[in-house]
Amino acid sequence: MSKRVYISPSNQNGNMYATGNTNEKIQCHKIAEACEAYLKKAGFTVMCTYNNDMYQRVRESNAFGADMHIAIHTNATAKHNVTGGTQVLLYSLDGERKKAGQAVFDCLAPITPGKSAERLIAKPDFYECRATNGLAIYCECEFHDTKEGSGFIIKNTTAIGEAIAKGVCNYYGVALPTEKNNAPQKSGTLYTVQTGAFKEKANAQKHLYALKKAGFEGFVIKK
């Protein structure tokens, strides 16, 4: 049975970005879509909710039987005293919580531009960290109130979502979709492509010439 992941993106449309005339809700929904698609390709059972409040989301997550609950947000600081960075919030910094949070952090933090605020943070008072039955991973994916941070997020929502998903895959020991798709074929397997058979060699040569003229290479005439 595949692991179940519940994705809870921010609905905070009042949190405006420093650039782009956009907000946290719009961008986090894009990140969530990319994360959901990647996890499904990797074989996870995924539920993603876009419009409910966090209390209803927690109820849904628990009813869904989520093994992991991922909250997706972008960050801000009222004092504007940091240059940005990724933060992963957890109920506590021990055991499997820390291991799971670290796995996501290790994939997400390297791609975000800010560095001064990067770390794992214990937030037992955050409702989505304390009330979910599944492991809660609360991602703050860079700071949106800096020009560099907001510009990065807007241009990289797919990369951010996939980085979160890769961290989940790494935590559970699940092969990344690209690794599955590019797995080497078993030895001894042969594949043949044939485009025609002709009684007259002249006709075969005409066909071969037409293929080459169309830009296809590697075809030869065999008896």
Side-chain angles (χ1 to χ4, degrees):
M1 182 178 180
S2 64
K3 293 292 184 181
R4 292 173 172 261
V5 178
Y6 186 95
I7 302 175
S8 171
S10 171
N11 270 340
Q12 294 165 292
N13 56 14
N15 290 347
M16 297 302 296
Y17 275 36
T19 60
N21 191 30
T22 187
N23 60 63
E24 183 174 350
K25 175 181 178 178
I26 291 173
Q27 300 306 316
C28 286
H29 284 202
K30 292 179 181 180
I31 294 169
E33 288 172 0
C35 184
E36 178 183 12
Y38 195 96
L39 287 173
K40 285 182 175 178
K41 287 181 182 178
F44 289 87
T45 301
V46 184
M47 182 175 183
C48 186
T49 300
Y50 293 95
N51 295 313
N52 300 324
D53 65 35
M54 67 176 178
Y55 301 103
Q56 186 170 348
R57 291 182 185 203
V58 168
R59 291 193 295 270
E60 282 185 350
S61 178
N62 292 342
F64 177 59
D67 298 287
M68 183 176 287
H69 178 102
I70 302 176
I72 295 177
H73 291 253
T74 55
N75 215 340
T77 172
K79 297 180 180 179
H80 301 282
N81 60 348
V82 298
T83 59
T86 293
Q87 295 180 346
V88 173
L89 315 182
L90 308 165
Y91 179 77
S92 65
L93 302 181
D94 54 28
E96 291 302 312
R97 291 189 177 94
K98 183 176 182 180
K99 184 178 177 182
Q102 191 69 53
V104 172
F105 181 88
D106 287 346
C107 288
L108 181 56
I111 72 168
T112 57
K115 300 301 174 188
S116 71
E118 288 189 340
R119 61 192 187 277
L120 300 181
I121 303 174
K123 282 287 185 180
D125 55 321
F126 272 33
Y127 186 73
E128 283 189 271
C129 289
R130 64 181 171 83
T132 54
N133 294 335
L135 284 169
I137 310 293
Y138 195 111
C139 300
E140 293 280 11
C141 311
E142 190 52 73
F143 282 70
H144 62 246
D145 59 345
T146 69
K147 290 183 178 180
E148 182 182 31
S150 63
F152 168 80
I153 296 165
I154 293 166
K155 293 177 182 178
N156 293 279
T157 53
T158 297
I160 294 169
E162 291 185 352
I164 295 170
K166 288 174 184 178
V168 176
C169 290
N170 290 344
Y171 172 70
Y172 284 114
V174 173
L176 303 183
T178 52
E179 293 176 354
K180 287 182 178 180
N181 294 339
N182 295 329
Q185 298 291 336
K186 293 181 179 179
S187 60
T189 302
L190 299 176
Y191 301 91
T192 301
V193 176
Q194 182 175 329
T195 66
F198 305 88
K199 289 184 178 180
E200 300 294 333
K201 185 176 181 180
N203 291 336
Q205 290 173 329
K206 288 179 182 179
H207 183 64
L208 180 62
Y209 174 76
L211 288 171
K212 289 183 177 179
K213 189 175 181 180
F216 297 100
E217 299 291 343
F219 291 98
V220 294
I221 296 175
K222 293 184 179 181
K223 291 183 179 179

